[in-house]
PDB file of all heavy atoms in Angstrom:
ATOM      1  N   SER A   1     -13.048   2.559   8.074  1.00  0.00           N
ATOM      2  CA  SER A   1     -11.935   3.432   8.443  1.00  0.00           C
ATOM      3  C   SER A   1     -11.873   4.560   7.443  1.00  0.00           C
ATOM      4  O   SER A   1     -12.482   4.483   6.376  1.00  0.00           O
ATOM      5  CB  SER A   1     -10.621   2.655   8.433  1.00  0.00           C
ATOM      6  OG  SER A   1      -9.539   3.464   8.853  1.00  0.00           O
ATOM      7  N   GLY A   2     -11.111   5.617   7.724  1.00  0.00           N
ATOM      8  CA  GLY A   2     -11.064   6.806   6.884  1.00  0.00           C
ATOM      9  C   GLY A   2     -10.962   6.568   5.393  1.00  0.00           C
ATOM     10  O   GLY A   2     -11.888   6.861   4.666  1.00  0.00           O
ATOM     11  N   ALA A   3      -9.924   6.069   4.809  1.00  0.00           N
ATOM     12  CA  ALA A   3      -8.684   5.750   5.478  1.00  0.00           C
ATOM     13  C   ALA A   3      -7.532   6.245   4.601  1.00  0.00           C
ATOM     14  O   ALA A   3      -7.494   5.972   3.410  1.00  0.00           O
ATOM     15  CB  ALA A   3      -8.541   4.246   5.668  1.00  0.00           C
ATOM     16  N   VAL A   4      -6.637   6.986   5.264  1.00  0.00           N
ATOM     17  CA  VAL A   4      -5.313   7.209   4.700  1.00  0.00           C
ATOM     18  C   VAL A   4      -4.384   6.262   5.438  1.00  0.00           C
ATOM     19  O   VAL A   4      -4.298   6.303   6.661  1.00  0.00           O
ATOM     20  CB  VAL A   4      -4.855   8.671   4.863  1.00  0.00           C
ATOM     21  CG1 VAL A   4      -3.389   8.817   4.501  1.00  0.00           C
ATOM     22  CG2 VAL A   4      -5.704   9.599   4.001  1.00  0.00           C
ATOM     23  N   ILE A   5      -3.708   5.400   4.691  1.00  0.00           N
ATOM     24  CA  ILE A   5      -2.856   4.410   5.353  1.00  0.00           C
ATOM     25  C   ILE A   5      -1.382   4.729   5.113  1.00  0.00           C
ATOM     26  O   ILE A   5      -0.992   5.188   4.053  1.00  0.00           O
ATOM     27  CB  ILE A   5      -3.158   2.971   4.886  1.00  0.00           C
ATOM     28  CG1 ILE A   5      -2.831   2.776   3.402  1.00  0.00           C
ATOM     29  CG2 ILE A   5      -4.595   2.596   5.174  1.00  0.00           C
ATOM     30  CD1 ILE A   5      -2.790   1.319   2.976  1.00  0.00           C
ATOM     31  N   ASP A   6      -0.615   4.486   6.154  1.00  0.00           N
ATOM     32  CA  ASP A   6       0.835   4.502   6.061  1.00  0.00           C
ATOM     33  C   ASP A   6       1.243   3.112   5.581  1.00  0.00           C
ATOM     34  O   ASP A   6       0.916   2.110   6.234  1.00  0.00           O
ATOM     35  CB  ASP A   6       1.415   4.798   7.445  1.00  0.00           C
ATOM     36  CG  ASP A   6       2.932   4.891   7.463  1.00  0.00           C
ATOM     37  OD1 ASP A   6       3.572   4.302   6.574  1.00  0.00           O
ATOM     38  OD2 ASP A   6       3.479   5.530   8.380  1.00  0.00           O
ATOM     39  N   PRO A   7       1.929   2.985   4.437  1.00  0.00           N
ATOM     40  CA  PRO A   7       2.209   1.655   3.870  1.00  0.00           C
ATOM     41  C   PRO A   7       3.338   0.903   4.556  1.00  0.00           C
ATOM     42  O   PRO A   7       3.734  -0.167   4.068  1.00  0.00           O
ATOM     43  CB  PRO A   7       2.565   1.974   2.422  1.00  0.00           C
ATOM     44  CG  PRO A   7       3.173   3.338   2.477  1.00  0.00           C
ATOM     45  CD  PRO A   7       2.416   4.072   3.560  1.00  0.00           C
ATOM     46  N   VAL A   8       3.857   1.405   5.666  1.00  0.00           N
ATOM     47  CA  VAL A   8       4.990   0.748   6.302  1.00  0.00           C
ATOM     48  C   VAL A   8       4.667  -0.699   6.661  1.00  0.00           C
ATOM     49  O   VAL A   8       5.528  -1.586   6.552  1.00  0.00           O
ATOM     50  CB  VAL A   8       5.453   1.545   7.550  1.00  0.00           C
ATOM     51  CG1 VAL A   8       4.357   1.643   8.598  1.00  0.00           C
ATOM     52  CG2 VAL A   8       6.698   0.928   8.161  1.00  0.00           C
ATOM     53  N   GLY A   9       3.419  -0.961   7.088  1.00  0.00           N
ATOM     54  CA  GLY A   9       3.046  -2.327   7.429  1.00  0.00           C
ATOM     55  C   GLY A   9       3.003  -3.237   6.218  1.00  0.00           C
ATOM     56  O   GLY A   9       3.521  -4.364   6.241  1.00  0.00           O
ATOM     57  N   LEU A  10       2.397  -2.752   5.146  1.00  0.00           N
ATOM     58  CA  LEU A  10       2.337  -3.543   3.916  1.00  0.00           C
ATOM     59  C   LEU A  10       3.727  -3.801   3.347  1.00  0.00           C
ATOM     60  O   LEU A  10       4.019  -4.891   2.846  1.00  0.00           O
ATOM     61  CB  LEU A  10       1.481  -2.832   2.870  1.00  0.00           C
ATOM     62  CG  LEU A  10      -0.030  -2.785   3.116  1.00  0.00           C
ATOM     63  CD1 LEU A  10      -0.715  -2.026   2.003  1.00  0.00           C
ATOM     64  CD2 LEU A  10      -0.604  -4.196   3.237  1.00  0.00           C
ATOM     65  N   ASP A  11       4.591  -2.789   3.425  1.00  0.00           N
ATOM     66  CA  ASP A  11       5.953  -2.956   2.900  1.00  0.00           C
ATOM     67  C   ASP A  11       6.683  -4.080   3.625  1.00  0.00           C
ATOM     68  O   ASP A  11       7.474  -4.815   3.019  1.00  0.00           O
ATOM     69  CB  ASP A  11       6.741  -1.650   3.064  1.00  0.00           C
ATOM     70  CG  ASP A  11       6.294  -0.573   2.081  1.00  0.00           C
ATOM     71  OD1 ASP A  11       5.698  -0.917   1.054  1.00  0.00           O
ATOM     72  OD2 ASP A  11       6.536   0.615   2.364  1.00  0.00           O
ATOM     73  N   LYS A  12       6.409  -4.206   4.902  1.00  0.00           N
ATOM     74  CA  LYS A  12       7.087  -5.231   5.688  1.00  0.00           C
ATOM     75  C   LYS A  12       6.436  -6.603   5.506  1.00  0.00           C
ATOM     76  O   LYS A  12       7.133  -7.625   5.452  1.00  0.00           O
ATOM     77  CB  LYS A  12       7.076  -4.841   7.177  1.00  0.00           C
ATOM     78  CG  LYS A  12       8.009  -5.660   8.040  1.00  0.00           C
ATOM     79  CD  LYS A  12       8.141  -5.047   9.434  1.00  0.00           C
ATOM     80  CE  LYS A  12       9.136  -5.839  10.286  1.00  0.00           C
ATOM     81  NZ  LYS A  12       9.291  -5.249  11.639  1.00  0.00           N
ATOM     82  N   LEU A  13       5.113  -6.623   5.382  1.00  0.00           N
ATOM     83  CA  LEU A  13       4.390  -7.898   5.255  1.00  0.00           C
ATOM     84  C   LEU A  13       4.511  -8.483   3.856  1.00  0.00           C
ATOM     85  O   LEU A  13       4.750  -9.687   3.696  1.00  0.00           O
ATOM     86  CB  LEU A  13       2.907  -7.676   5.601  1.00  0.00           C
ATOM     87  CG  LEU A  13       1.990  -8.897   5.489  1.00  0.00           C
ATOM     88  CD1 LEU A  13       2.351  -9.935   6.537  1.00  0.00           C
ATOM     89  CD2 LEU A  13       0.521  -8.479   5.637  1.00  0.00           C
ATOM     90  N   LEU A  14       4.338  -7.626   2.843  1.00  0.00           N
ATOM     91  CA  LEU A  14       4.324  -8.074   1.447  1.00  0.00           C
ATOM     92  C   LEU A  14       5.229  -7.155   0.633  1.00  0.00           C
ATOM     93  O   LEU A  14       4.752  -6.245  -0.054  1.00  0.00           O
ATOM     94  CB  LEU A  14       2.901  -8.050   0.893  1.00  0.00           C
ATOM     95  CG  LEU A  14       1.866  -8.926   1.621  1.00  0.00           C
ATOM     96  CD1 LEU A  14       0.458  -8.564   1.189  1.00  0.00           C
ATOM     97  CD2 LEU A  14       2.146 -10.409   1.378  1.00  0.00           C
ATOM     98  N   PRO A  15       6.533  -7.341   0.708  1.00  0.00           N
ATOM     99  CA  PRO A  15       7.470  -6.381   0.104  1.00  0.00           C
ATOM    100  C   PRO A  15       7.252  -6.103  -1.381  1.00  0.00           C
ATOM    101  O   PRO A  15       7.573  -5.023  -1.860  1.00  0.00           O
ATOM    102  CB  PRO A  15       8.836  -7.041   0.342  1.00  0.00           C
ATOM    103  CG  PRO A  15       8.635  -7.952   1.512  1.00  0.00           C
ATOM    104  CD  PRO A  15       7.238  -8.443   1.398  1.00  0.00           C
ATOM    105  N   GLY A  16       6.658  -7.030  -2.110  1.00  0.00           N
ATOM    106  CA  GLY A  16       6.479  -6.824  -3.542  1.00  0.00           C
ATOM    107  C   GLY A  16       5.112  -6.294  -3.933  1.00  0.00           C
ATOM    108  O   GLY A  16       4.774  -6.275  -5.116  1.00  0.00           O
ATOM    109  N   TRP A  17       4.333  -5.816  -2.960  1.00  0.00           N
ATOM    110  CA  TRP A  17       2.936  -5.456  -3.252  1.00  0.00           C
ATOM    111  C   TRP A  17       2.808  -4.324  -4.274  1.00  0.00           C
ATOM    112  O   TRP A  17       1.837  -4.271  -5.033  1.00  0.00           O
ATOM    113  CB  TRP A  17       2.204  -5.076  -1.968  1.00  0.00           C
ATOM    114  CG  TRP A  17       2.602  -3.753  -1.361  1.00  0.00           C
ATOM    115  CD1 TRP A  17       3.579  -3.561  -0.434  1.00  0.00           C
ATOM    116  CD2 TRP A  17       2.026  -2.476  -1.634  1.00  0.00           C
ATOM    117  NE1 TRP A  17       3.662  -2.222  -0.110  1.00  0.00           N
ATOM    118  CE2 TRP A  17       2.719  -1.530  -0.828  1.00  0.00           C
ATOM    119  CE3 TRP A  17       1.021  -2.014  -2.475  1.00  0.00           C
ATOM    120  CZ2 TRP A  17       2.422  -0.170  -0.846  1.00  0.00           C
ATOM    121  CZ3 TRP A  17       0.714  -0.652  -2.480  1.00  0.00           C
ATOM    122  CH2 TRP A  17       1.410   0.246  -1.677  1.00  0.00           C
ATOM    123  N   ARG A  18       3.784  -3.418  -4.314  1.00  0.00           N
ATOM    124  CA  ARG A  18       3.675  -2.266  -5.222  1.00  0.00           C
ATOM    125  C   ARG A  18       3.724  -2.670  -6.693  1.00  0.00           C
ATOM    126  O   ARG A  18       3.286  -1.905  -7.551  1.00  0.00           O
ATOM    127  CB  ARG A  18       4.787  -1.254  -4.918  1.00  0.00           C
ATOM    128  CG  ARG A  18       4.657  -0.609  -3.549  1.00  0.00           C
ATOM    129  CD  ARG A  18       5.875   0.216  -3.188  1.00  0.00           C
ATOM    130  NE  ARG A  18       5.881   0.602  -1.791  1.00  0.00           N
ATOM    131  CZ  ARG A  18       5.399   1.751  -1.329  1.00  0.00           C
ATOM    132  NH1 ARG A  18       4.876   2.623  -2.172  1.00  0.00           N
ATOM    133  NH2 ARG A  18       5.442   2.026  -0.041  1.00  0.00           N
ATOM    134  N   GLY A  19       4.242  -3.842  -6.980  1.00  0.00           N
ATOM    135  CA  GLY A  19       4.287  -4.304  -8.360  1.00  0.00           C
ATOM    136  C   GLY A  19       3.104  -5.160  -8.752  1.00  0.00           C
ATOM    137  O   GLY A  19       3.076  -5.720  -9.853  1.00  0.00           O
ATOM    138  N   GLU A  20       2.113  -5.274  -7.864  1.00  0.00           N
ATOM    139  CA  GLU A  20       0.946  -6.112  -8.119  1.00  0.00           C
ATOM    140  C   GLU A  20      -0.299  -5.255  -8.348  1.00  0.00           C
ATOM    141  O   GLU A  20      -0.303  -4.048  -8.105  1.00  0.00           O
ATOM    142  CB  GLU A  20       0.706  -7.039  -6.919  1.00  0.00           C
ATOM    143  CG  GLU A  20       1.868  -7.947  -6.578  1.00  0.00           C
ATOM    144  CD  GLU A  20       1.573  -8.789  -5.348  1.00  0.00           C
ATOM    145  OE1 GLU A  20       0.382  -8.860  -4.949  1.00  0.00           O
ATOM    146  OE2 GLU A  20       2.514  -9.366  -4.773  1.00  0.00           O
ATOM    147  N   GLU A  21      -1.365  -5.910  -8.765  1.00  0.00           N
ATOM    148  CA  GLU A  21      -2.670  -5.251  -8.857  1.00  0.00           C
ATOM    149  C   GLU A  21      -3.311  -5.279  -7.481  1.00  0.00           C
ATOM    150  O   GLU A  21      -3.604  -6.357  -6.949  1.00  0.00           O
ATOM    151  CB  GLU A  21      -3.561  -5.959  -9.877  1.00  0.00           C
ATOM    152  CG  GLU A  21      -4.898  -5.264 -10.093  1.00  0.00           C
ATOM    153  CD  GLU A  21      -5.724  -5.926 -11.178  1.00  0.00           C
ATOM    154  OE1 GLU A  21      -5.122  -6.638 -12.019  1.00  0.00           O
ATOM    155  OE2 GLU A  21      -6.942  -5.740 -11.177  1.00  0.00           O
ATOM    156  N   THR A  22      -3.508  -4.118  -6.894  1.00  0.00           N
ATOM    157  CA  THR A  22      -4.021  -4.022  -5.528  1.00  0.00           C
ATOM    158  C   THR A  22      -5.083  -2.931  -5.458  1.00  0.00           C
ATOM    159  O   THR A  22      -5.218  -2.117  -6.373  1.00  0.00           O
ATOM    160  CB  THR A  22      -2.895  -3.659  -4.531  1.00  0.00           C
ATOM    161  OG1 THR A  22      -2.605  -2.252  -4.641  1.00  0.00           O
ATOM    162  CG2 THR A  22      -1.632  -4.460  -4.781  1.00  0.00           C
ATOM    163  N   PRO A  23      -5.820  -2.863  -4.337  1.00  0.00           N
ATOM    164  CA  PRO A  23      -6.775  -1.770  -4.130  1.00  0.00           C
ATOM    165  C   PRO A  23      -6.118  -0.514  -3.549  1.00  0.00           C
ATOM    166  O   PRO A  23      -6.818   0.444  -3.196  1.00  0.00           O
ATOM    167  CB  PRO A  23      -7.794  -2.364  -3.151  1.00  0.00           C
ATOM    168  CG  PRO A  23      -7.008  -3.361  -2.372  1.00  0.00           C
ATOM    169  CD  PRO A  23      -5.969  -3.914  -3.309  1.00  0.00           C
ATOM    170  N   VAL A  24      -4.807  -0.518  -3.436  1.00  0.00           N
ATOM    171  CA  VAL A  24      -4.069   0.647  -2.926  1.00  0.00           C
ATOM    172  C   VAL A  24      -3.687   1.487  -4.139  1.00  0.00           C
ATOM    173  O   VAL A  24      -2.623   1.307  -4.740  1.00  0.00           O
ATOM    174  CB  VAL A  24      -2.832   0.217  -2.119  1.00  0.00           C
ATOM    175  CG1 VAL A  24      -2.149   1.430  -1.494  1.00  0.00           C
ATOM    176  CG2 VAL A  24      -3.231  -0.783  -1.031  1.00  0.00           C
ATOM    177  N   LEU A  25      -4.569   2.422  -4.525  1.00  0.00           N
ATOM    178  CA  LEU A  25      -4.475   3.063  -5.833  1.00  0.00           C
ATOM    179  C   LEU A  25      -4.150   4.550  -5.806  1.00  0.00           C
ATOM    180  O   LEU A  25      -3.600   5.070  -6.771  1.00  0.00           O
ATOM    181  CB  LEU A  25      -5.813   2.875  -6.583  1.00  0.00           C
ATOM    182  CG  LEU A  25      -6.256   1.442  -6.845  1.00  0.00           C
ATOM    183  CD1 LEU A  25      -7.665   1.439  -7.425  1.00  0.00           C
ATOM    184  CD2 LEU A  25      -5.292   0.737  -7.773  1.00  0.00           C
ATOM    185  N   THR A  26      -4.509   5.247  -4.724  1.00  0.00           N
ATOM    186  CA  THR A  26      -4.478   6.711  -4.757  1.00  0.00           C
ATOM    187  C   THR A  26      -3.477   7.276  -3.761  1.00  0.00           C
ATOM    188  O   THR A  26      -3.765   7.349  -2.558  1.00  0.00           O
ATOM    189  CB  THR A  26      -5.880   7.285  -4.457  1.00  0.00           C
ATOM    190  OG1 THR A  26      -6.837   6.682  -5.334  1.00  0.00           O
ATOM    191  CG2 THR A  26      -5.898   8.797  -4.631  1.00  0.00           C
ATOM    192  N   PRO A  27      -2.294   7.659  -4.215  1.00  0.00           N
ATOM    193  CA  PRO A  27      -1.343   8.299  -3.298  1.00  0.00           C
ATOM    194  C   PRO A  27      -1.825   9.689  -2.909  1.00  0.00           C
ATOM    195  O   PRO A  27      -2.485  10.383  -3.691  1.00  0.00           O
ATOM    196  CB  PRO A  27      -0.048   8.368  -4.121  1.00  0.00           C
ATOM    197  CG  PRO A  27      -0.503   8.371  -5.542  1.00  0.00           C
ATOM    198  CD  PRO A  27      -1.759   7.552  -5.595  1.00  0.00           C
ATOM    199  N   VAL A  28      -1.517  10.082  -1.679  1.00  0.00           N
ATOM    200  CA  VAL A  28      -1.848  11.443  -1.240  1.00  0.00           C
ATOM    201  C   VAL A  28      -0.986  12.429  -2.021  1.00  0.00           C
ATOM    202  O   VAL A  28       0.241  12.294  -2.070  1.00  0.00           O
ATOM    203  CB  VAL A  28      -1.617  11.609   0.270  1.00  0.00           C
ATOM    204  CG1 VAL A  28      -1.846  13.067   0.691  1.00  0.00           C
ATOM    205  CG2 VAL A  28      -2.545  10.685   1.057  1.00  0.00           C
ATOM    206  N   THR A  29      -1.643  13.402  -2.636  1.00  0.00           N
ATOM    207  CA  THR A  29      -0.917  14.407  -3.423  1.00  0.00           C
ATOM    208  C   THR A  29      -0.918  15.772  -2.754  1.00  0.00           C
ATOM    209  O   THR A  29      -0.097  16.631  -3.104  1.00  0.00           O
ATOM    210  CB  THR A  29      -1.547  14.545  -4.818  1.00  0.00           C
ATOM    211  OG1 THR A  29      -2.940  14.867  -4.681  1.00  0.00           O
ATOM    212  CG2 THR A  29      -1.406  13.247  -5.599  1.00  0.00           C
TER     213      THR A  29
END
C-alpha cells in the first residue's frame, strides 16, 4: 500500500497505541 493512513481505525482498536513503540513514525507535515 502507499501508504498514508488515517489513524481513526487504530485509535478505535488500540486507544493507547500512541504511547507505545510502533511502526507508525512519520506524521504528514
Side-chain angles (χ1 to χ4, degrees):
S1 183
V4 170
I5 65 166
D6 182 336
V8 61
L10 289 179
D11 287 339
K12 193 169 183 179
L13 179 67
L14 301 167
W17 72 269
R18 294 171 192 266
E20 302 178 15
E21 184 176 339
T22 77
V24 185
L25 300 173
T26 307
V28 175
T29 56

